[in-house]
Amino acid sequence: MFPQFGATAETLSKASTMVFRIGTDAHLYDDPDDVNIAPLLDSKFDSEKCEALKRLLALIAQGCDVSNFFPQVVKNVASQSLEVKKLAYLYLLHYAEKRPNEALLSINCFQKDLGDTNPLVRAWALRTMAGIRLHVIAPIVLVAVGKCARDPSVFVRKCAANALPKLHDLRQEENTETIEEIVGILLNDHSPAVVGAAAAAFASVCPNNLFMIGRNYQRLCEILPDVEEWGQIILTGVLLRYVIARHGLVEGSIMCSLHCKENSQSQKDGLESNPKFTFLEDNGDLGLYYESEIAHMVSQCYIEGPDEYLSRSSLLNKGSYESKSECFHSGESNEDVKILLQCTSPLLWSNNSAVVLAAAGVHWIMAPMKDVKRIVKPLLFVLRSSTASKYVVLNNIQVFAKAMPSLFAPHYEDLYICSSDSYHIKTLKLEILASIATDSSIMSILKEFQDYVRDPDRRFAADTVAAIGICVQRLPKMASTCLEWLLAFTRQECFTTVNGSMDGEAGVLIQAIMSIKSIIRQDPLSHEKVIIQLVRSLDSIKVPAARAMIIWMVGEYGSLGDQIPRMLTTVLKYLARCFMSEALETKLQILNTTVKVLLCAKGEDLLEFQRVLSYVLELAKYDLNYDVRDRASFLKKLLSFHLDSQGVERERNYVPKNKDLSCVLIECIFGQKTKPTPPEPYNHRIYLPGSLSQIVLHAAPGYEPLPKPCSLTCELSASGELATNSNSSVTDDLDTLSGSSDNESASCYSSQHSIRGSSGNGSGDVTGSASEDEGNADPLIQISEVANTYKTQNSGSQSGAADFGELLSNRALESWLDEQPGLSSVNTSEPSIVHRSSARISIGDIRGQVKPKNYALLDPVNGNGLKVDYSFSSEISNISPLLVCIEVSFKNCSSEPMSDITLVDEESSKDLDSADQVTASSITSQDDVPTVVPIEDIICLEPGQTMTRILQVRFHHHLLPLKLALYCNGKRHPVKLRPDIGYFVRALPMDPETFVNKESHLPGMFEYKRSCTFKEHIRELNKDEGESLLVKDKFLEICRCLALKMLSNANLFLVSVDMPIAASLDDASGLCLRFSGEILSTSNPCLITITIEGKCSEPLNVSVKVNCEETVFALNLLNRVINFLAEPSLTQL
């Protein structure tokens, strides 16, 4: 009627929405396809970069893939703005695993940020480096964590502790000891924030290294109340495990129940007649009683684990594990236990319910029974105050209450059910109330249960009836009162009619009959009238399961008392008359009951029972359900003797032969009375208090039971000395790795802090020269002794030729004869470790055997008969040392001459008439774009003729293919030249001592390792299969193959080859080759060490180590070396 008002209301709604969005970042989620992000990332203003990064993070939160912006975001890592840097770090953490190559480009920025004066920047950089989770940068992260573990800032040290589990997840087995040492340093920190994070790292990295806790146990207990809440949970569990493993369990605790249950004497408060309760006297009004069987199960599950305990119980081998008396001690005399209980007492009143459960678990396990009651009020307080954790707390209270009901018996009113409770919480509270009921509280609890039965949720009403039955089993004095109440349910009109809401009410009736049945089984003689009442109600009860249970009681207690046997004939006739209209379970129970009554019958009733059974079997023979038919056929066969005496048609000659067997079988199946069963099944899975496993009832990932008591066999005094030595060695190792002391500035992380390598003099060997005179060439092998350790680098080198026999000293000979395979590897990264003796050999004229690898630039098919190949050369450019020389070969494969052949950069191909002169200054002035020096044109190339030109390129460490243009006969052919990082270096001659000296200055974050399998030597060794090869020939062939492979793919200098003297005839373990080079762009040294493991005649495990200050370059070079060592040669293919 008035459309303008509708429009006005819509406009006002939009306006109010806009007003509320002012000053927020809600607009970031409006446009998922925002095209302005890329320009904003390249903006000069930090505010626009922040806006772009926020939009990217908003898109990530919405599930959009924005990884295409990764290169642009990486550039912003070096921004000076803290906000931009933080947002860029968050983006990198999300996409680093998807884009590992681009993520490596930012490693240098992270290392610079680790030296920033702002502790927030240092912490962000370390967190981002650890979050990238790439194996190639794990050594760098490890050294950074070791340095940050001693940073003056608490926040940085905490980030270092949080980074340790991420390093451990990368499966860095070779660095496990170093990680554990850093954990020990952080556990010794004085800051509670660092200790909490260190405890989490300890639980992830080395949870079983409890000696580390013993060194700082008292201080950790004292600092526990000041640790952050989630750290308190982990640290409490760690301290509990240490105390149990070191001192065992406390006498008089719930864990000592196995020893206490034999001493049970008297029982109070309605528990006198129940032998499964143990009672301990106390000064209070209520004794401290507990259920010994459940308490024993709890203690065993805590130590063994539920799976092992239940499997042992199923094999009836419960005595296989027994607690030794020496594993128990007095809690009052043990200082460690007293400190732990005192320090965890304040945590019982923590605001965090998980902390309360962790502290309660310590007191539940370690405190004497008289002191365990201090956990009750804190748990009940959490139950009332925290709705979210109510289910978790009740799960743990349930175990406590079942094992030791006296704890919560006085506080039963706090466990009454509220109308707002969910069904699962109601069920838990019912079980707890049934477990803690006593003679003084049972009447109040039963009155509460009467209200619960009227609850609209009939499942809950059925559970309440079941809880009543449990109460009667625990308190037999209340049987008569509860039975009258339960029998009243069977007489209700809703149970006696077929129509109506039977689904919910049937469950209540069935549960009532089950409770009555369990009560009767405890004392059948005193409940004869109850059975008669149930039998008389058969005609009115229509629920099949309830009828089946009553019929079962008729057969089970048919001979009980005087009245039940007299009414059996009438009952069986009634059941036979109703047989065809009964449900399946009722029919099967009628068959079983009739057989039971027949077997117990005597005198005149026997004939009548046989007629009823024959009639029922005949009806069942034609029943529609095959289960009933099979049961009838089985019983008819089994009871053939009893039925033949009454004239049933059976073969007479078949009965006597199987008479004895059938009687025995009948007695086994129907003749034995059912034994009373315990009120509750004791096969529950019980896990440690407060654990996730206790909630999900299975072992969650990472769950571990308590350690075996007194499993730490070594004395703390011995471990204390070990700890002192260990801490000092850890400090020394970390100082060595980082190259700085504690007082050194954090700026040592900067990649600018480098050691420039000098060219150095040659070693006297001419292995690096290919143009030497043949007359003065060195012999094929030179042998010189190498010291047992690399410590001798300062005492001078032992050079010169020597006899092989003289080199075999007594110690070397003994190690050769008594070789241990585990000592065969030579670890060149730890100079202080003693290795076995080795001999240094040099291979003469190895450069003369190097064949550079050729690559196709243009094939004859695409080049109209022109074939162009190229190979990287080790020559030094005469224009600039920054240029890489590439030998390009042109061959005319056609039958016609070719003219005007030239190769230029594609970008400069439009200006072919420009000047060709390129100076060194023009090359160095261009920083980012690869520079190509034009080659001399080929005026004419005759058919079959081959000509060579030298192409000089400065790649600027670019590994992407370089686009070039090849002109021939006036036609342009686009080609791609693929760079080889192995030629971004030039050979740097040096002697082995200089190599080791430079290597010692490039440890830790400047050291990178990878392994591969090398197989190329096998083909060479198998060439002369019939000839016997000397051991030196095998070693020489392996060294030659490796050296040729390296020198053919990289411009390096072979420094030395170390051969282990103590090797067996076919063991190449310990063989070590060293190569040196110098990066063209920075003149920084690049050192490569190759170590061999394995048999000579089998594929070898080759470990490659690169020491270099340039992180990204070293990682790419290491990957390149691994690739060409692992790939087979063309001749092998």
Side-chain angles (χ1 to χ4, degrees):
M1 187 174 179
F2 299 101
Q4 64 273 17
F5 291 107
T8 305
E10 183 179 357
T11 305
L12 289 175
S13 176
K14 292 182 179 179
S16 61
T17 303
M18 293 297 297
V19 169
F20 283 116
R21 289 161 60 94
I22 294 176
T24 66
D25 290 334
H27 64 283
L28 299 175
Y29 297 89
D30 291 341
D31 188 6
D33 302 325
D34 194 348
V35 296
N36 297 323
I37 294 179
L40 291 176
L41 287 173
D42 297 330
S43 174
K44 297 180 180 180
F45 302 101
D46 292 337
S47 59
E48 295 182 353
K49 292 181 180 180
C50 287
E51 181 72 14
L53 290 171
K54 287 180 180 180
R55 290 181 183 274
L56 289 178
L57 295 177
L59 292 175
I60 291 174
Q62 297 179 31
C64 302
D65 184 13
V66 290
S67 58
N68 54 311
F69 295 100
F70 197 94
Q72 293 174 282
V73 176
V74 169
K75 293 189 300 182
N76 291 310
V77 172
S79 174
Q80 298 299 320
S81 172
L82 293 182
E83 189 174 4
V84 173
K85 190 183 293 290
K86 184 176 182 179
L87 293 173
Y89 281 169
L90 292 175
Y91 179 91
L92 288 178
L93 279 175
H94 190 78
Y95 283 114
E97 293 186 7
K98 295 182 180 179
R99 308 288 291 269
N101 293 330
E102 289 86 346
L104 292 177
L105 298 176
S106 58
I107 296 299
N108 285 335
C109 295
F110 295 148
Q111 291 178 281
K112 292 179 182 178
D113 289 344
L114 287 171
D116 197 276
T117 56
N118 191 336
L120 290 178
V121 176
R122 298 200 300 271
W124 293 343
L126 179 62
R127 183 175 62 181
T128 308
M129 286 180 65
I132 290 178
R133 301 195 183 193
L134 296 177
H135 286 81
V136 291
I137 65 170
I140 305 175
V141 180
L142 180 60
V143 177
V145 170
K147 185 67 177 180
C148 290
R150 293 173 296 172
D151 194 275
S153 172
V154 174
F155 187 60
V156 177
R157 298 200 301 273
K158 181 180 177 181
C159 286
N162 292 330
L164 290 174
K166 301 175 185 178
L167 273 176
H168 181 70
D169 291 341
L170 293 178
R171 306 295 181 188
Q172 297 287 326
E173 287 81 4
E174 66 274 9
N175 297 323
T176 301
E177 294 183 2
T178 306
I179 296 176
E180 292 184 6
E181 291 166 356
I182 299 175
V183 172
I185 293 175
L186 294 170
L187 282 174
N188 198 27
D189 200 277
H190 63 275
S191 173
V194 179
V195 171
F202 174 86
S204 296
V205 175
C206 49
N208 298 322
N209 190 5
L210 295 175
F211 283 111
M212 190 182 299
I213 302 299
R215 296 194 289 264
N216 307 301
Y217 174 78
Q218 185 172 357
R219 195 184 55 79
L220 291 175
C221 288
E222 294 173 353
I223 206 173
L224 176 61
D226 299 325
V227 177
E228 62 179 351
E229 292 178 345
W230 299 113
Q232 286 175 343
I233 301 169
I234 300 174
L235 186 56
T236 301
V238 170
L239 294 174
L240 174 63
R241 292 176 183 275
Y242 167 76
V243 170
I244 293 177
R246 178 67 185 93
H247 303 289
L249 304 172
V250 177
E251 292 180 358
S253 65
I254 190 68
M255 299 293 288
C256 190
S257 61
L258 181 60
H259 290 262
C260 296
K261 69 177 181 179
E262 298 175 357
N263 301 325
S264 58
Q265 297 291 334
S266 60
Q267 299 156 350
K268 289 186 178 180
D269 207 0
L271 302 176
E272 291 86 352
S273 60
N274 202 336
K276 67 189 180 70
F277 291 100
T278 301
F279 183 83
L280 299 177
E281 293 295 339
D282 191 20
N283 296 329
D285 296 335
L286 183 64
L288 293 176
Y289 63 88
Y290 64 94
E291 298 198 26
S292 58
E293 186 172 352
I294 300 182
H296 171 56
M297 180 182 67
V298 168
S299 62
Q300 297 302 316
C301 287
Y302 284 170
I303 296 178
E304 298 181 56
D307 295 331
E308 183 178 351
Y309 173 75
L310 292 177
S311 62
R312 200 163 45 74
S313 302
S314 63
L315 296 176
L316 301 178
N317 189 20
K318 296 184 180 181
S320 63
Y321 175 80
E322 295 182 359
S323 302
K324 299 181 181 179
S325 58
E326 57 267 21
C327 294
F328 296 90
H329 60 86
S330 175
E332 297 178 355
S333 61
N334 191 289
E335 292 297 327
D336 287 348
V337 177
K338 289 175 62 178
I339 293 174
L340 179 61
L341 294 177
Q342 290 174 2
C343 295
T344 52
S345 294
L347 304 185
L348 290 172
W349 298 100
S350 173
N351 293 327
N352 192 319
S353 56
V355 177
V356 176
L357 280 177
V362 173
H363 288 262
W364 169 252
I365 294 172
M366 297 303 296
M369 284 194 178
K370 60 182 181 179
D371 297 331
V372 176
K373 56 187 178 183
R374 70 179 61 174
I375 71 174
V376 176
K377 291 184 178 180
L379 289 176
L380 294 177
F381 178 79
V382 173
L383 192 63
R384 291 191 300 267
S385 59
S386 178
T387 306
S389 58
K390 185 178 292 186
Y391 179 77
V392 177
V393 176
L394 282 173
N395 258 297
N396 291 272
I397 291 178
Q398 180 190 21
V399 178
F400 299 159
K402 286 186 175 181
M404 196 173 178
S406 62
L407 278 180
F408 294 89
H411 308 278
Y412 64 92
E413 293 181 350
D414 293 320
L415 296 167
Y416 281 169
I417 293 168
C418 302
S419 58
S420 59
D421 290 339
S422 64
Y423 171 73
H424 302 288
I425 292 178
K426 290 179 180 178
T427 305
L428 285 174
K429 285 187 175 182
L430 280 177
E431 293 185 18
I432 297 172
L433 287 172
S435 300
I436 65 176
T438 60
D439 282 346
S440 59
S441 61
I442 185 62
M443 294 307 298
S444 299
I445 293 177
L446 287 179
K447 289 181 180 179
E448 191 75 13
F449 284 174
Q450 290 178 4
D451 293 334
Y452 299 161
V453 172
R454 292 190 290 269
D455 192 276
D457 187 356
R458 304 316 291 168
R459 284 189 308 165
F460 172 56
D463 293 336
T464 304
V465 174
I468 295 173
I470 296 175
C471 292
V472 176
Q473 295 172 42
R474 297 187 66 256
L475 304 172
K477 290 183 178 181
M478 303 301 298
S480 58
T481 304
C482 294
L483 276 174
E484 293 179 3
W485 195 47
L486 292 172
L487 287 172
F489 284 105
T490 63
R491 295 190 291 269
Q492 291 184 11
E493 185 178 355
C494 57
F495 299 139
T496 58
T497 57
V498 180
N499 299 326
S501 57
M502 290 296 297
D503 293 338
E505 302 297 342
V508 179
L509 176 62
I510 293 170
Q511 200 63 59
I513 300 294
M514 290 179 64
S515 299
I516 294 173
K517 185 177 73 171
S518 62
I519 296 172
I520 293 174
R521 289 172 66 178
Q522 287 185 339
D523 189 10
L525 288 174
S526 60
H527 298 103
E528 179 183 1
K529 293 183 179 180
V530 177
I531 300 174
I532 294 174
Q533 291 185 37
L534 291 176
V535 172
R536 288 176 176 174
S537 63
L538 268 176
D539 196 28
S540 59
I541 294 178
K542 305 301 181 182
V543 180
R547 291 176 62 85
M549 281 188 286
I550 297 175
I551 294 171
W552 176 86
M553 283 188 276
V554 171
E556 185 71 15
Y557 307 112
S559 59
L560 185 68
D562 298 330
Q563 298 182 15
I564 296 178
R566 290 199 297 266
M567 58 187 299
L568 286 179
T569 304
T570 305
V571 173
L572 291 183
K573 288 181 179 179
Y574 165 75
L575 295 176
R577 188 168 57 254
C578 302
F579 183 83
M580 294 304 296
S581 61
E582 298 287 353
L584 171 62
E585 53 186 329
T586 310
K587 289 180 180 179
L588 295 176
Q589 199 57 250
I590 290 174
L591 290 172
N592 294 342
T593 298
T594 308
V595 173
K596 286 183 180 181
V597 172
L598 175 63
L599 293 177
C600 300
K602 295 178 182 179
E604 299 178 356
D605 294 333
L606 181 61
L607 180 61
E608 192 69 27
F609 291 154
Q610 287 177 343
R611 290 177 179 174
V612 173
L613 178 60
S614 300
Y615 176 74
V616 173
L617 290 176
E618 228 16 71
L619 292 176
K621 181 179 179 181
Y622 300 100
D623 196 87
L624 297 178
N625 191 282
Y626 63 87
D627 286 334
V628 178
R629 297 196 301 269
D630 292 346
R631 180 73 61 88
S633 177
F634 169 73
L635 293 176
K636 195 170 185 178
K637 276 280 188 183
L638 195 61
L639 300 171
S640 59
F641 173 74
H642 296 272
L643 299 178
D644 278 339
S645 62
Q646 299 300 322
V648 182
E649 295 182 359
R650 297 288 297 171
E651 296 181 1
R652 294 285 183 179
N653 56 356
Y654 176 77
V655 174
K657 184 167 55 175
N658 295 309
K659 178 180 178 181
D660 296 336
L661 179 61
S662 62
C663 291
V664 172
L665 188 58
I666 291 172
E667 289 295 328
C668 291
I669 297 176
F670 299 104
Q672 297 180 354
K673 295 296 180 181
T674 306
K675 296 180 180 180
T677 57
E680 297 177 51
Y682 293 139
N683 58 349
H684 298 292
R685 295 179 176 270
I686 297 178
Y687 296 87
L688 290 176
S691 63
L692 174 64
S693 303
Q694 180 60 35
I695 307 302
V696 298
L697 295 181
H698 65 81
Y703 175 82
E704 288 290 337
L706 293 176
K708 295 293 187 294
C710 300
S711 57
L712 288 181
T713 56
C714 300
E715 296 295 332
L716 273 181
S717 58
S719 65
E721 296 177 3
L722 179 62
T724 304
N725 299 333
S726 172
N727 286 337
S728 61
S729 63
V730 170
T731 307
D732 295 341
D733 291 343
L734 290 175
D735 287 342
T736 304
L737 288 174
S738 60
S740 61
S741 62
D742 288 339
N743 297 328
E744 187 177 2
S745 173
S747 62
C748 295
Y749 285 117
S750 176
S751 60
Q752 302 297 327
H753 179 69
S754 60
I755 302 174
R756 301 291 180 181
S758 58
S759 58
N761 296 328
S763 61
D765 298 337
V766 289
T767 59
S769 173
S771 60
E772 60 183 353
D773 296 333
E774 296 180 0
N776 299 328
D778 288 342
L780 185 61
I781 301 178
Q782 291 182 352
I783 305 179
S784 59
E785 185 178 6
V786 180
N788 288 337
T789 66
Y790 294 110
K791 280 183 172 182
T792 56
Q793 61 182 0
N794 296 327
S795 60
S797 61
Q798 300 178 359
S799 58
D803 253 352
F804 187 76
E806 296 176 358
L807 293 177
L808 295 179
S809 60
N810 293 333
R811 182 168 56 182
L813 183 59
E814 291 174 2
S815 63
W816 195 345
L817 295 177
D818 302 326
E819 182 188 8
Q820 300 179 9
L823 302 177
S824 61
S825 62
V826 178
N827 189 356
T828 60
S829 64
E830 298 182 5
S832 61
I833 298 179
V834 178
H835 304 282
R836 62 186 182 183
S837 300
S838 59
R840 179 164 295 151
I841 66 175
S842 61
I843 306 175
D845 196 20
I846 189 65
R847 277 290 182 183
Q849 304 178 33
V850 174
K851 296 179 180 179
K853 190 173 182 180
N854 289 328
Y855 304 90
L857 188 65
L858 182 66
D859 58 81
V861 176
N862 296 325
N864 296 327
L866 178 62
K867 179 182 179 182
V868 183
D869 295 333
Y870 68 95
S871 62
F872 291 89
S873 173
S874 59
E875 296 182 5
I876 299 176
S877 172
N878 55 1
I879 299 176
S880 172
L882 303 177
L883 295 172
V884 177
C885 295
I886 305 172
E887 185 176 334
V888 185
S889 174
F890 301 86
K891 182 178 180 181
N892 187 356
C893 299
S894 65
S895 57
E896 298 179 357
M898 298 181 178
S899 60
D900 299 331
I901 301 175
T902 184
L903 183 65
V904 297
D905 188 0
E906 191 175 33
E907 294 183 356
S908 60
S909 60
K910 300 178 181 179
D911 303 326
L912 292 179
D913 298 334
S914 61
D916 294 337
Q917 299 295 330
V918 179
T919 61
S921 60
S922 64
I923 293 175
T924 55
S925 63
Q926 300 176 3
D927 294 330
D928 296 328
V929 181
T931 306
V932 179
V933 179
I935 63 173
E936 182 183 354
D937 296 350
I938 299 177
I939 299 176
C940 182
L941 188 64
E942 299 294 333
Q945 184 181 3
T946 302
M947 298 186 69
T948 303
R949 292 288 186 269
I950 300 298
L951 179 67
Q952 302 182 51
V953 184
R954 186 186 179 188
F955 289 100
H956 291 282
H957 294 184
H958 285 267
L959 298 179
L960 297 177
L962 180 62
K963 296 180 180 180
L964 302 176
L966 178 64
Y967 289 87
C968 178
N969 294 333
K971 293 183 179 180
R972 178 178 175 274
H973 303 278
V975 294
K976 291 183 179 180
L977 189 147
R978 301 184 181 276
D980 191 343
I981 194 174
Y983 289 89
F984 291 0
V985 297
R986 56 173 170 266
L988 178 63
M990 64 175 67
D991 55 20
E993 286 71 26
T994 306
F995 183 96
V996 175
N997 185 28
K998 289 184 177 293
E999 184 185 37
S1000 65
H1001 289 81
L1002 297 170
M1005 68 172 64
F1006 302 126
E1007 183 176 289
Y1008 319 96
K1009 289 182 181 179
R1010 278 191 65 186
S1011 299
C1012 66
T1013 303
F1014 184 72
K1015 303 178 181 179
E1016 192 166 338
H1017 67 287
I1018 300 178
R1019 179 181 57 84
E1020 299 295 334
L1021 292 177
N1022 293 336
K1023 276 186 177 179
D1024 303 326
E1025 225 174 277
E1027 301 180 8
S1028 61
L1029 300 176
L1030 298 176
V1031 66
K1032 64 177 183 180
D1033 294 337
K1034 290 185 179 181
F1035 287 164
L1036 175 62
E1037 191 59 43
I1038 294 174
C1039 295
R1040 191 185 68 84
C1041 291
L1042 276 172
L1044 288 178
K1045 195 76 170 178
M1046 291 291 296
L1047 299 178
S1048 299
N1049 290 273
N1051 188 10
L1052 298 170
F1053 176 80
L1054 177 61
V1055 178
S1056 66
V1057 179
D1058 291 348
M1059 179 184 71
I1061 294 177
S1064 62
L1065 295 178
D1066 195 40
D1067 189 5
S1069 299
L1071 194 63
C1072 180
L1073 288 82
R1074 297 184 179 87
F1075 300 87
S1076 62
E1078 189 178 44
I1079 302 177
L1080 294 177
S1081 59
T1082 61
S1083 299
N1084 287 336
C1086 183
L1087 310 178
I1088 301 177
T1089 305
I1090 297 179
T1091 308
I1092 309 299
E1093 293 287 340
K1095 302 287 186 180
C1096 293
S1097 56
E1098 298 176 358
L1100 299 173
N1101 184 19
V1102 178
S1103 177
V1104 182
K1105 181 184 68 172
V1106 177
N1107 293 81
C1108 182
E1109 294 181 8
E1110 299 291 337
T1111 302
V1112 178
F1113 179 86
L1115 291 173
N1116 288 329
L1117 179 61
L1118 178 62
N1119 293 333
R1120 172 61 180 150
V1121 172
I1122 291 296
N1123 289 337
F1124 66 67
L1125 285 180
E1127 68 180 6
S1129 62
L1130 295 177
T1131 56
Q1132 188 175 355
L1133 293 175

